């Protein structure tokens, strides 16, 4: 059962939803690919996000629960994260420098898990680093993520085969203000690009 709209972006919409058959209670985030942008490359990028999320199992990364198609629109069912971006969380609770550094370290640990799977997030920013109301870190939105190296499993080989769809030469991917130099130049990149973006987030967290 779809409850209400949570947000809308360039590729689609995210809705709050719940299971409706009574088997168990719980909320989830339902991410739909926007019908008006359902072009082959964007559809493949959406499927790519689901494949990459399926490789990630970390308590601080919002997990993928299901995926499918409804009335011709692709969707992902994701763990619902009730919280706020890391910068607003720090300010609303007036956290000390040490507390902010400890919180930041936990976000780095989560992305290190993705890097260990050869996945680069490519859109590290406060809005994608959520802190829940019970003080848990959650990394969101792997819609721009890419796989940097092939591995021996078939899923990774599929991702590598389609990687050119998501990293076209000359295409700048990411959010202004957090882009690494490689992203600005639309040059090849690896996990160090995320580290640069984390530095920009840390600067904001410590300086305001």
């Amino acid at each position: 059962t779809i409850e209400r709209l949570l947000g809308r972006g360039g590729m689609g919409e995210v809705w709050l939803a719940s299971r409706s058959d009574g088997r168990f209670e719980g909320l989830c985030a339902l991410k739909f690919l926007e019908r008006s942008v359902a072009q082959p490359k964007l559809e493949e990028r959406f499927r790519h996000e689901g494949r990459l999320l399926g490789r990630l199992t970390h308590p601080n990364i919002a997990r993928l629960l299901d995926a499918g198609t409804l009335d011709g629109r692709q969707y992902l069912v994701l763990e619902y994260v009730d919280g706020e971006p890391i910068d607003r969380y720090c300010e609303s609770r007036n956290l000390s420098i040490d507390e902010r550094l400890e919180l930041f370290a936990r976000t780095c640990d989560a992305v290190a898990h993705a890097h260990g799977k050869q996945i680069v997030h490519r859109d590290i920013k406060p809005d994608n680093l959520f802190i829940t109301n019970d003080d848990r870190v959650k990394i969101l939105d792997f819609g721009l993520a890419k796989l940097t190296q092939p591995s021996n499993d078939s899923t990774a080989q599929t991702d590598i085969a389609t990687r050119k769809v998501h990293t076209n030469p000359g295409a700048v991917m990411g959010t202004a203000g957090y882009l690494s130099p490689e992203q600005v130049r639309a040059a090849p990149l690896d996990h160090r690009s995320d580290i640069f973006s984390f530095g920009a987030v840390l600067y904001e967290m410590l300086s305001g």
Side-chain angles (χ1 to χ4, degrees):
T1 301
I2 296 176
E3 308 284 351
R4 59 183 171 86
L5 181 68
L6 293 174
R8 181 178 282 115
M11 280 183 60
E13 305 165 338
V14 180
W15 295 78
L16 180 66
S18 60
R19 193 172 179 103
S20 57
D21 61 5
R23 293 187 62 182
F24 59 84
E25 294 184 4
L27 297 173
C28 64
L30 190 60
K31 183 175 183 178
F32 279 105
L33 179 64
E34 176 60 52
R35 201 185 301 271
S36 64
V37 297
Q39 303 167 10
K41 288 182 179 180
L42 292 177
E43 290 178 349
E44 176 53 40
R45 184 184 298 164
F46 200 79
R47 285 190 291 268
H48 181 78
E49 180 181 1
R51 288 195 296 266
L52 293 189
L53 281 171
R55 296 166 59 89
L56 299 174
T57 53
H58 192 282
N60 300 122
I61 295 176
R63 67 188 185 280
L64 176 69
L65 303 176
D66 200 0
T69 304
L70 178 66
D71 297 331
R73 298 178 70 186
Q74 291 187 55
Y75 67 84
L76 300 175
V77 184
L78 304 163
E79 175 185 2
Y80 171 61
V81 179
D82 187 11
E84 57 185 328
I86 193 169
D87 55 346
R88 294 211 298 267
Y89 182 90
C90 290
E91 292 303 315
S92 65
R93 287 157 178 78
N94 196 28
L95 298 188
S96 68
I97 294 296
D98 285 347
E99 289 171 328
R100 293 174 192 232
L101 289 173
E102 189 276 332
L103 192 62
F104 181 77
R106 283 194 277 143
T107 66
C108 291
D109 181 63
V111 172
H113 171 75
H115 291 169
K117 301 286 188 180
Q118 288 81 49
I119 295 171
V120 181
H121 189 283
R122 292 205 299 180
D123 199 18
I124 297 296
K125 57 184 178 181
D127 283 351
N128 286 336
L129 307 176
F130 255 55
I131 312 300
T132 67
N133 295 328
D134 57 355
D135 195 39
R136 290 180 296 127
V137 172
K138 289 290 183 179
I139 309 297
L140 309 179
D141 196 355
F142 280 74
L144 297 184
K146 65 171 287 186
L147 194 64
T148 58
Q149 296 178 18
S151 66
N152 293 326
D153 67 84
S154 59
T155 300
Q157 295 299 334
T158 301
D159 289 333
I160 288 296
T162 61
R163 184 175 57 186
K164 62 185 179 181
V165 172
H166 317 290
T167 54
N168 293 326
V172 177
M173 311 291 287
T175 300
Y178 305 95
L179 295 170
S180 68
E182 308 93 90
Q183 287 176 287
V184 172
R185 297 195 304 267
L189 53 81
D190 58 23
H191 66 280
R192 291 171 292 184
S193 179
D194 281 350
I195 294 172
F196 182 98
S197 300
F198 263 117
V201 172
L202 180 60
Y203 174 82
E204 286 191 57
M205 288 174 61
L206 298 181
S207 71

